[in-house]
Amino acid sequence: MNPLAIIGNVVITALGETGRLSLFTWRAVTHILRPPLYWRLIGQQMMRIGYFSLPVVALTAFFTGGVLALQIYYGSDQFNSESIVATIVALGITRELGPVLGGLMVAGRAAAAIAAELGTMRVTEQIDALSTLSTNPFKYLVVPRVIAAVITLPALVFIGDVIGIFGGFVVGTQTLDFNAGVYIKTTVDFLELDDITSGLIKSAIFGFIIAMMGCYQGFHSRGGAQGVGRATTNAVVSSSILILAANYVMTSLFFSS
Amino acid sequence: MNISVPAKDIKIELKNVHKRFGKKIVLHDLSLTIPKGKSLVVIGGSGSGKSVMLKSILGIIRPEKGSIKVDGKDVTKLSTSEREKTLRKFGMLFQNAALFDSLPVWENVAFGLIQGRNMKRKDAKEIALEKLGQVGLTTEIGDLYPAELSGGMQKRVGLARAIATDPEIIFFDEPTTGLDPIMADVINDLIVNSVQKLGATALSITHDMASARKIADYIAMIYKGEIIWAGTRDEVDNSGNEYVDQFIHGRADGPIKMDVLKP
Ligand SMILES: Nc1ncnc2c1ncn2[C@@H]1O[C@H](COP(=O)(O)OP(=O)(O)OP(=O)(O)O)[C@@H](O)[C@H]1O
Ligand SMILES: [Mg+2]
């Protein structure tokens, strides 16, 4: 096949996909703003997306904080490293690693689960059945998941921040023989509210990305089991990449000045 | 060939509807009139476009050409919110039941009442259990999940869900397929009842001629995406149409050729 034709096809497919995704996102947002909301379903989704992701996020944060402390210690001149380790662990976790790793872990769990569930509902005509029962599929399926993810992700990441810093503290005081009081004092002195809030704003955006990609891929799955499998993979891959890209953009916006 | 009734008695009217998937033409210039408060049965071979026709009326599938009027309004041209309003008039039994597998059986049946009509869950459950009783399912089944039911039971739950809100228009996509002959007759009675007692307009698809004769006021035959014959139930035996004759007598020989390899 003509290489130009291949490139052309790829570009057209990509543009079409971007257009469909934008339209889908726009519809979701307008439905969020238009009552009624299904509170019961939002609560249910908050449990599934947020609460059940807690162990994964907590473990990830703990080990990340710990390994960060080790590497900073080995990388620094090890003299006066106490304050450097404490500061960089706190900033690294709250600004970048907490939200990004938390987002990626939840993307693996929740985006996949959403895409698989909605994809199955699509191919078994359950989504069509919703509309014949006077229920808007967007309001009933997409909106609760998006709202739940946008609310619970910052909460998860905040808990992850605390646990991550604690992980650094444990490694610092147990393995590297730092003074616990000094470590805590340095952390508190250097950490500013902006560091935490910027990470939480990021994670709310990541929550939106995760729910949107899960719903989008699920809604547009075709065929049978294979189609649902493809939707699930696409949801995880695309939400992960979008999270990393959005993170870069937000970091350059928040920390440029 | 079409059903002729005065304009005021028409509930749904399809005119020159076309639908294709890729290169495959599924509905080809399909026209059909469905009279108000009557039961119309559409018969036709597998793959002839029956389910696609139902879904087009419901707006789940958008035809490329033609008009579909429900109570005089063209549903292919409605905005989303107007379409939602029109859909409230409908109840639909999907061919594969399409039950919500995350909800227990009773909540499936009560769904249209709770979500669509904002009824209290407790009241809706009562109605749901009553409707389940009408399709021969006991109260205990209400607490099971769809995956725990047999195919025929799922079909009956789908039926109970379709009639739960007492809709003005009910679509049944193969209501008796997968049921034993006795239960099939119970369902036939239920459909007749819905039309006669509630005054609903029913559109059913079936391959089961016994069922068709029992529930139909009118019968129409679809062949290759086109309505090739329509008339009253009694006319079907003297239709003078070879395709209809072959179909209702279930003969392998005739104008309709099945693409099968002979051994
Ligand atoms: N979503 C779709 N995408 C592509 N083709 C489709 C789709 N839905 C239906 N078709 C095609 O349209 C044709 C008619 O399908 P339809 O489901 O209406 O048949 P049917 O008359 O209901 O048959 P049956 O009695 O077996 O249920 C089939 O050839 C099918 O392959
Ligand atoms: Mg069918």
Side-chain angles (χ1 to χ4, degrees):
Chain A
M1 203 167 143
N2 182 346
L4 280 178
I6 297 177
I7 295 173
N9 264 334
V10 169
V11 171
I12 289 171
T13 313
L15 285 179
E17 194 75 5
T18 314
R20 268 193 296 277
L21 178 59
S22 313
L23 205 66
F24 190 85
T25 310
W26 171 247
R27 280 179 73 186
V29 171
T30 53
H31 276 293
I32 290 173
L33 301 177
R34 232 184 307 150
L37 293 175
Y38 294 110
W39 295 106
R40 191 190 167 86
L41 295 176
I42 295 175
Q44 203 178 48
Q45 291 303 325
M46 284 175 72
M47 286 297 282
R48 282 201 209 156
I49 298 172
Y51 185 71
F52 293 127
S53 299
L54 201 49
V56 186
V57 171
L59 282 172
T60 311
F62 184 82
F63 287 116
T64 307
V67 85
L68 203 55
L70 279 185
Q71 287 293 5
I72 297 162
Y73 178 74
Y74 297 146
S76 64
D77 57 9
Q78 307 195 355
F79 178 74
N80 195 18
S81 58
E82 209 159 6
S83 62
I84 295 175
V85 169
T87 317
I88 300 185
V89 165
L91 293 187
I93 292 284
T94 54
R95 286 182 176 185
E96 300 290 344
L97 294 175
V100 170
L101 292 180
L104 291 178
M105 297 315 282
V106 180
R109 271 194 85 251
I114 292 172
E117 188 181 4
L118 299 197
T120 306
M121 290 186 74
R122 164 62 77 201
V123 301
T124 56
E125 299 183 315
Q126 293 178 51
I127 294 184
D128 294 334
L130 271 180
S131 60
T132 68
L133 291 163
S134 327
T135 305
N136 185 307
F138 256 78
K139 268 211 144 53
Y140 188 79
L141 297 173
V142 179
V143 170
R145 284 168 175 78
V146 173
I147 292 181
V150 170
I151 294 176
T152 52
L153 249 257
L156 275 175
V157 166
F158 183 76
I159 297 170
D161 285 350
V162 175
I163 294 175
I165 291 172
F166 177 69
F169 172 81
V170 169
V171 170
T173 53
Q174 302 302 310
T175 313
L176 309 175
D177 285 331
F178 292 161
N179 179 297
V182 176
Y183 193 100
I184 293 173
K185 187 173 179 326
T186 322
T187 303
V188 174
D189 283 352
F190 272 86
L191 199 59
E192 285 180 18
L193 192 60
D194 281 356
D195 298 322
I196 298 171
T197 44
S198 70
L200 297 187
I201 292 170
K202 280 181 175 180
S203 48
I205 303 281
F206 297 164
F208 184 78
I209 290 173
I210 290 168
M212 282 313 305
M213 293 318 291
C215 291
Y216 175 77
Q217 296 292 349
F219 255 63
H220 293 266
S221 61
R222 291 272 168 277
Q226 212 177 13
V228 175
R230 206 176 314 122
T232 310
T233 313
N234 286 349
V236 176
V237 172
S238 57
S239 56
S240 302
I241 291 173
L242 278 176
I243 283 174
L244 294 171
N247 182 56
Y248 177 81
V249 172
M250 284 189 281
T251 296
S252 47
L253 283 178
F254 293 160
F255 297 99
S256 62
S257 46
Chain B
M1 187 80 219
N2 217 327
I3 296 160
S4 53
V5 290
K8 67 171 175 43
D9 291 336
I10 295 175
K11 190 74 179 171
I12 302 173
E13 190 175 31
L14 295 95
K15 265 197 187 144
N16 311 104
V17 176
H18 288 256
K19 175 70 201 173
R20 58 162 74 197
F21 291 104
K23 286 205 181 79
K24 189 179 171 65
I25 296 171
V26 177
L27 299 184
H28 175 73
D29 211 23
L30 184 141
S31 299
L32 180 64
T33 306
I34 305 170
K36 194 177 285 181
K38 299 284 182 202
S39 168
L40 170 71
V41 169
V42 174
I43 56 175
S46 185
S48 56
K50 303 182 297 294
S51 297
V52 170
M53 179 182 78
L54 285 197
K55 289 179 196 166
S56 301
I57 301 173
L58 292 168
I60 293 169
I61 289 175
R62 282 194 182 260
E64 286 96 33
K65 262 202 292 191
S67 72
I68 300 173
K69 286 188 183 151
V70 177
D71 286 329
K73 267 194 212 148
D74 191 343
V75 291
T76 58
K77 297 197 173 68
L78 293 182
S79 69
T80 314
S81 63
E82 282 179 311
R83 195 165 76 82
E84 273 173 24
K85 215 180 285 165
T86 310
L87 277 175
R88 283 176 176 272
K89 300 177 183 173
F90 287 87
M92 163 92 179
L93 164 66
F94 284 81
Q95 187 167 1
N96 62 9
L99 300 178
F100 304 126
D101 45 27
S102 60
L103 298 177
V105 164
W106 78 262
E107 225 177 314
N108 264 282
V109 178
F111 197 91
L113 298 167
I114 297 173
Q115 304 297 346
R117 311 274 148 110
N118 293 321
M119 194 182 273
K120 286 215 184 68
R121 292 172 68 81
K122 202 171 137 279
D123 302 338
K125 183 166 186 175
E126 223 161 85
I127 296 179
L129 293 179
E130 186 197 316
K131 299 285 176 186
L132 282 172
Q134 290 178 9
V135 296
L137 297 171
T138 56
T139 314
E140 295 89 75
I141 290 181
D143 291 321
L144 297 179
Y145 281 83
E148 297 168 304
L149 304 182
S150 75
M153 286 158 95
Q154 290 181 0
K155 192 107 214 189
R156 285 184 276 157
V157 175
L159 209 102
R161 184 174 73 177
I163 61 172
T165 54
D166 295 335
E168 283 173 41
I169 306 167
I170 322 178
F171 287 177
F172 301 103
D173 199 342
E174 305 197 6
T176 55
T177 307
L179 302 182
D180 64 75
I182 302 168
M183 188 48 76
D185 206 45
V186 172
I187 298 304
N188 289 337
D189 285 336
L190 186 77
I191 294 173
V192 171
N193 224 339
S194 303
V195 176
Q196 288 178 351
K197 275 225 186 92
L198 305 173
T201 303
L203 172 55
S204 318
I205 288 172
T206 188
H207 299 290
D208 172 359
M209 281 313 295
S211 168
R213 285 174 203 281
K214 183 144 186 187
I215 64 181
D217 295 314
Y218 295 95
I219 294 180
M221 174 146 175
I222 186 172
Y223 180 65
K224 291 194 172 163
E226 202 176 347
I227 299 292
I228 55 161
W229 183 86
T232 63
R233 172 183 54 191
D234 300 328
E235 284 166 358
V236 78
D237 290 309
N238 319 304
S239 63
N241 184 310
E242 293 171 64
Y243 293 85
V244 175
D245 277 342
Q246 187 191 351
F247 191 89
I248 64 176
H249 296 114
R251 287 193 292 254
D253 294 321
I256 307 172
K257 298 276 183 273
M258 294 284 167
D259 298 328
V260 289
L261 279 175
K262 292 274 161 54

